[in-house]
Amino acid sequence: MTGAPLRSLTILGGRDKAGRPEVGEVTLRAGDVACIVGPTGSGKSRLLADIECLAQGDTPSGRRILIDGAEPEPALRFAAHRKPVAQLSQTMTFVVDLTVGEFVAMHARCRGVPDPGSRMPSIVAAVIAGANDLSGEPFGPDDALAELSGGQSRALMIADTALLSASPVVLIDEIENAGIDRRRALDLLVGEEKIVLISTHDPILALLGQRRLVIRNGGIAEVIATGPDERASLEVLARLDRALLDLRERLRAGRRIDHLPDWPALLGIDKKRETTPWTP
């Protein structure tokens, strides 16, 4: 792969834990979001690891990963810098003694942002603003990196990856546990034309993707395209989620929860036409 933008990533199926062949081929293109779903221990993290290392049949699954339809060169697979795949794990712990602004500026230089120079303050501000748009707990460039909460840390790394990273493929493990705005996080990443794969148990997040890769017994057992009926379900789930988010914000602010939302209205239920009693 040269300096040209990455156009596609293809997963060529290997085998599950019982040795049975998995789904033969899955191709993702720039701007695509695919969610990886399955029970705990089913092999979701193994799939992410195979993509991260651009596996060539040399991992337990036997999968092969193609870049723009071709086997990646060894130099691309094992490059220490500017790898085509960036991965955000479930836990983020910073141990360096830097402020947020210093850390982002250092990342900009390390990631080869062209001639940052006098633009560095605006680059740092853009990344921090993007992170604060995802997290409910705002922070600034002078805050200590090691003192950020888990949600703030994950929001910072998502914004950093979207705006600074040259990696066109982003892997995220369970973004729902980070306490950040999931839809905005995806919009930020997809807006930068990245291919995004997310391991998740969250129904809203799963339906935000165009496809779901269903993992069973270590293999991709099925690929489900998100259809119109599921998109309609997503809108209902999103309304419920916003109502729950409002309740969480009330708790955080120390306010009382004397009244609950009108759940039937959020679900589109006409209580006057219901033949059975509705219980919140």
Side-chain angles (χ1 to χ4, degrees), residues 53-92:
C53 74
L54 300 177
Q56 294 301 309
D58 49 5
T59 67
S61 71
R63 295 184 182 107
R64 295 174 56 229
I65 308 300
L66 306 182
I67 298 294
D68 291 336
E71 179 179 328
E73 297 177 1
L76 185 64
R77 287 192 69 191
F78 305 112
H81 302 289
R82 300 185 72 83
K83 293 187 69 173
V85 181
Q87 183 163 11
L88 302 177
S89 62
Q90 293 187 45
T91 56
M92 292 279 172

mmCIF file of all heavy atoms in Angstrom, residues 53-92:
data_model
loop_
_atom_site.group_PDB
_atom_site.id
_atom_site.type_symbol
_atom_site.label_atom_id
_atom_site.label_comp_id
_atom_site.label_asym_id
_atom_site.label_seq_id
_atom_site.Cartn_x
_atom_site.Cartn_y
_atom_site.Cartn_z
ATOM 1 N N CYS A 53 -3.442 -7.276 13.406
ATOM 2 C CA CYS A 53 -2.124 -7.764 12.952
ATOM 3 C C CYS A 53 -2.116 -8.123 11.472
ATOM 4 O O CYS A 53 -1.113 -8.632 10.963
ATOM 5 C CB CYS A 53 -1.681 -8.953 13.796
ATOM 6 S SG CYS A 53 -2.559 -10.499 13.458
ATOM 7 N N LEU A 54 -3.222 -7.847 10.771
ATOM 8 C CA LEU A 54 -3.342 -8.174 9.343
ATOM 9 C C LEU A 54 -2.957 -9.633 9.106
ATOM 10 O O LEU A 54 -2.077 -9.960 8.304
ATOM 11 C CB LEU A 54 -2.467 -7.235 8.497
ATOM 12 C CG LEU A 54 -2.802 -5.738 8.603
ATOM 13 C CD1 LEU A 54 -1.825 -4.913 7.769
ATOM 14 C CD2 LEU A 54 -4.230 -5.455 8.172
ATOM 15 N N ALA A 55 -3.643 -10.518 9.824
ATOM 16 C CA ALA A 55 -3.321 -11.945 9.825
ATOM 17 C C ALA A 55 -3.280 -12.518 8.408
ATOM 18 O O ALA A 55 -4.060 -12.136 7.531
ATOM 19 C CB ALA A 55 -4.361 -12.700 10.654
ATOM 20 N N GLN A 56 -2.370 -13.456 8.220
ATOM 21 C CA GLN A 56 -2.216 -14.136 6.927
ATOM 22 C C GLN A 56 -2.217 -15.642 7.126
ATOM 23 O O GLN A 56 -1.297 -16.354 6.723
ATOM 24 C CB GLN A 56 -0.933 -13.675 6.244
ATOM 25 C CG GLN A 56 -0.929 -12.217 5.845
ATOM 26 C CD GLN A 56 -2.062 -11.888 4.886
ATOM 27 O OE1 GLN A 56 -2.251 -12.568 3.868
ATOM 28 N NE2 GLN A 56 -2.836 -10.851 5.206
ATOM 29 N N GLY A 57 -3.255 -16.129 7.817
ATOM 30 C CA GLY A 57 -3.357 -17.554 8.086
ATOM 31 C C GLY A 57 -2.420 -18.024 9.172
ATOM 32 O O GLY A 57 -2.265 -19.235 9.372
ATOM 33 N N ASP A 58 -1.807 -17.083 9.906
ATOM 34 C CA ASP A 58 -0.814 -17.431 10.926
ATOM 35 C C ASP A 58 -1.302 -17.183 12.348
ATOM 36 O O ASP A 58 -0.515 -16.988 13.262
ATOM 37 C CB ASP A 58 0.487 -16.670 10.682
ATOM 38 C CG ASP A 58 0.263 -15.169 10.447
ATOM 39 O OD1 ASP A 58 -0.896 -14.714 10.577
ATOM 40 O OD2 ASP A 58 1.237 -14.468 10.127
ATOM 41 N N THR A 59 -2.641 -17.176 12.529
ATOM 42 C CA THR A 59 -3.227 -17.064 13.866
ATOM 43 C C THR A 59 -4.135 -18.284 14.070
ATOM 44 O O THR A 59 -4.410 -19.026 13.118
ATOM 45 C CB THR A 59 -4.047 -15.767 14.010
ATOM 46 O OG1 THR A 59 -5.201 -15.844 13.165
ATOM 47 C CG2 THR A 59 -3.217 -14.538 13.645
ATOM 48 N N PRO A 60 -4.612 -18.523 15.311
ATOM 49 C CA PRO A 60 -5.436 -19.720 15.567
ATOM 50 C C PRO A 60 -6.667 -19.847 14.671
ATOM 51 O O PRO A 60 -7.123 -20.958 14.392
ATOM 52 C CB PRO A 60 -5.832 -19.563 17.031
ATOM 53 C CG PRO A 60 -4.715 -18.778 17.638
ATOM 54 C CD PRO A 60 -4.287 -17.810 16.572
ATOM 55 N N SER A 61 -7.212 -18.712 14.197
ATOM 56 C CA SER A 61 -8.427 -18.772 13.365
ATOM 57 C C SER A 61 -8.131 -19.142 11.919
ATOM 58 O O SER A 61 -9.033 -19.572 11.189
ATOM 59 C CB SER A 61 -9.140 -17.418 13.397
ATOM 60 O OG SER A 61 -8.386 -16.461 12.673
ATOM 61 N N GLY A 62 -6.912 -18.952 11.458
ATOM 62 C CA GLY A 62 -6.582 -19.205 10.063
ATOM 63 C C GLY A 62 -7.096 -18.144 9.105
ATOM 64 O O GLY A 62 -7.054 -18.320 7.880
ATOM 65 N N ARG A 63 -7.565 -17.004 9.622
ATOM 66 C CA ARG A 63 -8.083 -15.945 8.749
ATOM 67 C C ARG A 63 -6.958 -15.250 7.987
ATOM 68 O O ARG A 63 -5.808 -15.226 8.408
ATOM 69 C CB ARG A 63 -8.830 -14.887 9.575
ATOM 70 C CG ARG A 63 -10.074 -15.377 10.261
ATOM 71 C CD ARG A 63 -10.790 -14.227 10.963
ATOM 72 N NE ARG A 63 -11.964 -14.713 11.671
ATOM 73 C CZ ARG A 63 -12.039 -14.818 12.999
ATOM 74 N NH1 ARG A 63 -11.035 -14.433 13.770
ATOM 75 N NH2 ARG A 63 -13.142 -15.286 13.558
ATOM 76 N N ARG A 64 -7.358 -14.611 6.864
ATOM 77 C CA ARG A 64 -6.452 -13.770 6.109
ATOM 78 C C ARG A 64 -7.121 -12.416 5.901
ATOM 79 O O ARG A 64 -8.325 -12.331 5.638
ATOM 80 C CB ARG A 64 -6.094 -14.400 4.767
ATOM 81 C CG ARG A 64 -5.309 -15.706 4.895
ATOM 82 C CD ARG A 64 -5.096 -16.378 3.541
ATOM 83 N NE ARG A 64 -4.430 -15.483 2.615
ATOM 84 C CZ ARG A 64 -4.839 -15.251 1.356
ATOM 85 N NH1 ARG A 64 -5.923 -15.859 0.894
ATOM 86 N NH2 ARG A 64 -4.166 -14.437 0.572
ATOM 87 N N ILE A 65 -6.336 -11.355 6.036
ATOM 88 C CA ILE A 65 -6.842 -9.992 5.883
ATOM 89 C C ILE A 65 -6.184 -9.363 4.660
ATOM 90 O O ILE A 65 -4.952 -9.351 4.539
ATOM 91 C CB ILE A 65 -6.529 -9.140 7.135
ATOM 92 C CG1 ILE A 65 -7.013 -9.837 8.409
ATOM 93 C CG2 ILE A 65 -7.153 -7.753 6.998
ATOM 94 C CD1 ILE A 65 -8.497 -10.107 8.473
ATOM 95 N N LEU A 66 -7.017 -8.849 3.751
ATOM 96 C CA LEU A 66 -6.525 -8.193 2.546
ATOM 97 C C LEU A 66 -6.735 -6.683 2.637
ATOM 98 O O LEU A 66 -7.739 -6.216 3.195
ATOM 99 C CB LEU A 66 -7.244 -8.727 1.309
ATOM 100 C CG LEU A 66 -7.232 -10.250 1.083
ATOM 101 C CD1 LEU A 66 -7.953 -10.573 -0.222
ATOM 102 C CD2 LEU A 66 -5.822 -10.805 1.090
ATOM 103 N N ILE A 67 -5.800 -5.936 2.091
ATOM 104 C CA ILE A 67 -5.907 -4.489 1.996
ATOM 105 C C ILE A 67 -6.066 -4.123 0.525
ATOM 106 O O ILE A 67 -5.208 -4.463 -0.305
ATOM 107 C CB ILE A 67 -4.644 -3.789 2.567
ATOM 108 C CG1 ILE A 67 -4.482 -4.112 4.055
ATOM 109 C CG2 ILE A 67 -4.718 -2.285 2.329
ATOM 110 C CD1 ILE A 67 -5.569 -3.554 4.936
ATOM 111 N N ASP A 68 -7.182 -3.473 0.184
ATOM 112 C CA ASP A 68 -7.494 -3.146 -1.208
ATOM 113 C C ASP A 68 -7.401 -4.384 -2.093
ATOM 114 O O ASP A 68 -6.888 -4.343 -3.220
ATOM 115 C CB ASP A 68 -6.566 -2.043 -1.731
ATOM 116 C CG ASP A 68 -6.839 -0.701 -1.061
ATOM 117 O OD1 ASP A 68 -7.969 -0.500 -0.572
ATOM 118 O OD2 ASP A 68 -5.918 0.137 -1.017
ATOM 119 N N GLY A 69 -7.879 -5.516 -1.555
ATOM 120 C CA GLY A 69 -7.956 -6.746 -2.323
ATOM 121 C C GLY A 69 -6.664 -7.512 -2.454
ATOM 122 O O GLY A 69 -6.622 -8.545 -3.133
ATOM 123 N N ALA A 70 -5.582 -7.042 -1.804
ATOM 124 C CA ALA A 70 -4.290 -7.709 -1.946
ATOM 125 C C ALA A 70 -3.697 -8.020 -0.578
ATOM 126 O O ALA A 70 -4.002 -7.366 0.428
ATOM 127 C CB ALA A 70 -3.327 -6.831 -2.739
ATOM 128 N N GLU A 71 -2.840 -9.027 -0.555
ATOM 129 C CA GLU A 71 -2.125 -9.365 0.681
ATOM 130 C C GLU A 71 -1.178 -8.229 1.042
ATOM 131 O O GLU A 71 -0.412 -7.752 0.197
ATOM 132 C CB GLU A 71 -1.337 -10.652 0.463
ATOM 133 C CG GLU A 71 -0.539 -11.100 1.661
ATOM 134 C CD GLU A 71 0.206 -12.396 1.395
ATOM 135 O OE1 GLU A 71 -0.313 -13.232 0.616
ATOM 136 O OE2 GLU A 71 1.317 -12.555 1.944
ATOM 137 N N PRO A 72 -1.219 -7.746 2.277
ATOM 138 C CA PRO A 72 -0.330 -6.636 2.653
ATOM 139 C C PRO A 72 1.128 -7.059 2.659
ATOM 140 O O PRO A 72 1.451 -8.202 2.992
ATOM 141 C CB PRO A 72 -0.806 -6.267 4.066
ATOM 142 C CG PRO A 72 -1.447 -7.510 4.586
ATOM 143 C CD PRO A 72 -2.066 -8.187 3.399
ATOM 144 N N GLU A 73 2.002 -6.151 2.303
ATOM 145 C CA GLU A 73 3.429 -6.426 2.335
ATOM 146 C C GLU A 73 3.885 -6.570 3.784
ATOM 147 O O GLU A 73 3.333 -5.941 4.689
ATOM 148 C CB GLU A 73 4.196 -5.291 1.663
ATOM 149 C CG GLU A 73 3.864 -5.113 0.185
ATOM 150 C CD GLU A 73 4.592 -3.938 -0.422
ATOM 151 O OE1 GLU A 73 5.364 -3.288 0.315
ATOM 152 O OE2 GLU A 73 4.386 -3.668 -1.626
ATOM 153 N N PRO A 74 4.909 -7.394 4.028
ATOM 154 C CA PRO A 74 5.417 -7.564 5.403
ATOM 155 C C PRO A 74 5.779 -6.242 6.072
ATOM 156 O O PRO A 74 5.543 -6.066 7.265
ATOM 157 C CB PRO A 74 6.651 -8.449 5.206
ATOM 158 C CG PRO A 74 6.356 -9.226 3.962
ATOM 159 C CD PRO A 74 5.596 -8.287 3.078
ATOM 160 N N ALA A 75 6.322 -5.305 5.312
ATOM 161 C CA ALA A 75 6.691 -4.012 5.884
ATOM 162 C C ALA A 75 5.474 -3.270 6.438
ATOM 163 O O ALA A 75 5.569 -2.534 7.422
ATOM 164 C CB ALA A 75 7.386 -3.155 4.825
ATOM 165 N N LEU A 76 4.320 -3.487 5.792
ATOM 166 C CA LEU A 76 3.091 -2.843 6.271
ATOM 167 C C LEU A 76 2.570 -3.545 7.520
ATOM 168 O O LEU A 76 2.134 -2.898 8.470
ATOM 169 C CB LEU A 76 2.028 -2.876 5.172
ATOM 170 C CG LEU A 76 0.717 -2.140 5.471
ATOM 171 C CD1 LEU A 76 0.968 -0.653 5.640
ATOM 172 C CD2 LEU A 76 -0.293 -2.385 4.355
ATOM 173 N N ARG A 77 2.650 -4.881 7.533
ATOM 174 C CA ARG A 77 2.168 -5.651 8.681
ATOM 175 C C ARG A 77 2.939 -5.311 9.947
ATOM 176 O O ARG A 77 2.364 -5.204 11.034
ATOM 177 C CB ARG A 77 2.298 -7.143 8.429
ATOM 178 C CG ARG A 77 1.325 -7.747 7.459
ATOM 179 C CD ARG A 77 1.374 -9.264 7.534
ATOM 180 N NE ARG A 77 0.834 -9.754 8.798
ATOM 181 C CZ ARG A 77 0.934 -11.000 9.228
ATOM 182 N NH1 ARG A 77 1.579 -11.891 8.494
ATOM 183 N NH2 ARG A 77 0.404 -11.368 10.379
ATOM 184 N N PHE A 78 4.238 -5.187 9.824
ATOM 185 C CA PHE A 78 5.082 -5.097 11.010
ATOM 186 C C PHE A 78 5.685 -3.714 11.221
ATOM 187 O O PHE A 78 6.607 -3.551 12.006
ATOM 188 C CB PHE A 78 6.192 -6.152 10.917
ATOM 189 C CG PHE A 78 5.665 -7.545 10.716
ATOM 190 C CD1 PHE A 78 5.882 -8.230 9.523
ATOM 191 C CD2 PHE A 78 4.899 -8.155 11.696
ATOM 192 C CE1 PHE A 78 5.379 -9.514 9.327
ATOM 193 C CE2 PHE A 78 4.384 -9.434 11.506
ATOM 194 C CZ PHE A 78 4.630 -10.114 10.328
ATOM 195 N N ALA A 79 5.156 -2.724 10.511
ATOM 196 C CA ALA A 79 5.658 -1.360 10.672
ATOM 197 C C ALA A 79 5.373 -0.857 12.079
ATOM 198 O O ALA A 79 4.284 -1.058 12.618
ATOM 199 C CB ALA A 79 5.013 -0.439 9.640
ATOM 200 N N ALA A 80 6.345 -0.187 12.668
ATOM 201 C CA ALA A 80 6.160 0.366 14.019
ATOM 202 C C ALA A 80 5.362 1.663 13.982
ATOM 203 O O ALA A 80 4.751 2.039 14.979
ATOM 204 C CB ALA A 80 7.517 0.601 14.668
ATOM 205 N N HIS A 81 5.376 2.359 12.844
ATOM 206 C CA HIS A 81 4.704 3.648 12.740
ATOM 207 C C HIS A 81 3.750 3.631 11.547
ATOM 208 O O HIS A 81 3.941 2.893 10.581
ATOM 209 C CB HIS A 81 5.715 4.779 12.565
ATOM 210 C CG HIS A 81 6.716 4.850 13.679
ATOM 211 N ND1 HIS A 81 6.389 5.264 14.949
ATOM 212 C CD2 HIS A 81 8.042 4.528 13.710
ATOM 213 C CE1 HIS A 81 7.475 5.212 15.719
ATOM 214 N NE2 HIS A 81 8.480 4.768 14.995
ATOM 215 N N ARG A 82 2.723 4.469 11.645
ATOM 216 C CA ARG A 82 1.762 4.674 10.566
ATOM 217 C C ARG A 82 1.135 3.362 10.095
ATOM 218 O O ARG A 82 0.946 3.123 8.893
ATOM 219 C CB ARG A 82 2.411 5.415 9.396
ATOM 220 C CG ARG A 82 2.943 6.788 9.784
ATOM 221 C CD ARG A 82 3.476 7.542 8.592
ATOM 222 N NE ARG A 82 2.388 7.980 7.727
ATOM 223 C CZ ARG A 82 1.676 9.091 7.932
ATOM 224 N NH1 ARG A 82 1.911 9.850 8.982
ATOM 225 N NH2 ARG A 82 0.723 9.434 7.104
ATOM 226 N N LYS A 83 0.817 2.495 11.047
ATOM 227 C CA LYS A 83 0.138 1.249 10.705
ATOM 228 C C LYS A 83 -1.262 1.574 10.186
ATOM 229 O O LYS A 83 -1.878 2.566 10.601
ATOM 230 C CB LYS A 83 0.047 0.341 11.933
ATOM 231 C CG LYS A 83 1.392 -0.175 12.413
ATOM 232 C CD LYS A 83 1.223 -1.201 13.510
ATOM 233 C CE LYS A 83 0.606 -2.473 12.968
ATOM 234 N NZ LYS A 83 0.576 -3.551 13.974
ATOM 235 N N PRO A 84 -1.812 0.740 9.306
ATOM 236 C CA PRO A 84 -3.143 1.030 8.762
ATOM 237 C C PRO A 84 -4.283 0.755 9.737
ATOM 238 O O PRO A 84 -5.424 1.100 9.459
ATOM 239 C CB PRO A 84 -3.222 0.099 7.541
ATOM 240 C CG PRO A 84 -2.316 -1.024 7.874
ATOM 241 C CD PRO A 84 -1.195 -0.436 8.674
ATOM 242 N N VAL A 85 -3.987 0.105 10.866
ATOM 243 C CA VAL A 85 -5.033 -0.250 11.828
ATOM 244 C C VAL A 85 -4.702 0.322 13.202
ATOM 245 O O VAL A 85 -3.583 0.151 13.706
ATOM 246 C CB VAL A 85 -5.187 -1.785 11.937
ATOM 247 C CG1 VAL A 85 -6.300 -2.137 12.921
ATOM 248 C CG2 VAL A 85 -5.465 -2.408 10.574
ATOM 249 N N ALA A 86 -5.682 1.010 13.792
ATOM 250 C CA ALA A 86 -5.551 1.518 15.165
ATOM 251 C C ALA A 86 -6.592 0.817 16.022
ATOM 252 O O ALA A 86 -7.733 0.623 15.589
ATOM 253 C CB ALA A 86 -5.775 3.027 15.202
ATOM 254 N N GLN A 87 -6.222 0.423 17.228
ATOM 255 C CA GLN A 87 -7.150 -0.278 18.115
ATOM 256 C C GLN A 87 -7.285 0.454 19.434
ATOM 257 O O GLN A 87 -6.287 0.847 20.046
ATOM 258 C CB GLN A 87 -6.693 -1.714 18.372
ATOM 259 C CG GLN A 87 -7.681 -2.504 19.230
ATOM 260 C CD GLN A 87 -7.455 -4.001 19.158
ATOM 261 O OE1 GLN A 87 -6.463 -4.473 18.633
ATOM 262 N NE2 GLN A 87 -8.405 -4.767 19.674
ATOM 263 N N LEU A 88 -8.546 0.629 19.871
ATOM 264 C CA LEU A 88 -8.847 1.220 21.170
ATOM 265 C C LEU A 88 -9.400 0.121 22.059
ATOM 266 O O LEU A 88 -10.447 -0.446 21.780
ATOM 267 C CB LEU A 88 -9.878 2.354 21.031
ATOM 268 C CG LEU A 88 -9.480 3.511 20.106
ATOM 269 C CD1 LEU A 88 -10.608 4.524 20.014
ATOM 270 C CD2 LEU A 88 -8.214 4.179 20.593
ATOM 271 N N SER A 89 -8.683 -0.183 23.134
ATOM 272 C CA SER A 89 -9.088 -1.270 24.017
ATOM 273 C C SER A 89 -10.129 -0.786 25.024
ATOM 274 O O SER A 89 -10.447 0.401 25.104
ATOM 275 C CB SER A 89 -7.877 -1.839 24.758
ATOM 276 O OG SER A 89 -7.293 -0.845 25.567
ATOM 277 N N GLN A 90 -10.652 -1.729 25.828
ATOM 278 C CA GLN A 90 -11.695 -1.398 26.801
ATOM 279 C C GLN A 90 -11.179 -0.485 27.897
ATOM 280 O O GLN A 90 -11.919 0.324 28.438
ATOM 281 C CB GLN A 90 -12.244 -2.680 27.436
ATOM 282 C CG GLN A 90 -13.011 -3.565 26.480
ATOM 283 C CD GLN A 90 -13.661 -4.729 27.191
ATOM 284 O OE1 GLN A 90 -14.261 -4.564 28.244
ATOM 285 N NE2 GLN A 90 -13.550 -5.912 26.626
ATOM 286 N N THR A 91 -9.926 -0.619 28.296
ATOM 287 C CA THR A 91 -9.384 0.164 29.394
ATOM 288 C C THR A 91 -8.313 1.106 28.892
ATOM 289 O O THR A 91 -7.499 0.745 28.038
ATOM 290 C CB THR A 91 -8.778 -0.748 30.478
ATOM 291 O OG1 THR A 91 -7.784 -1.586 29.877
ATOM 292 C CG2 THR A 91 -9.857 -1.614 31.097
ATOM 293 N N MET A 92 -8.334 2.326 29.408
ATOM 294 C CA MET A 92 -7.341 3.331 29.061
ATOM 295 C C MET A 92 -6.695 3.825 30.344
ATOM 296 O O MET A 92 -7.379 4.366 31.222
ATOM 297 C CB MET A 92 -8.006 4.513 28.339
ATOM 298 C CG MET A 92 -8.548 4.172 26.975
ATOM 299 S SD MET A 92 -7.249 4.187 25.734
ATOM 300 C CE MET A 92 -8.164 3.530 24.339
#
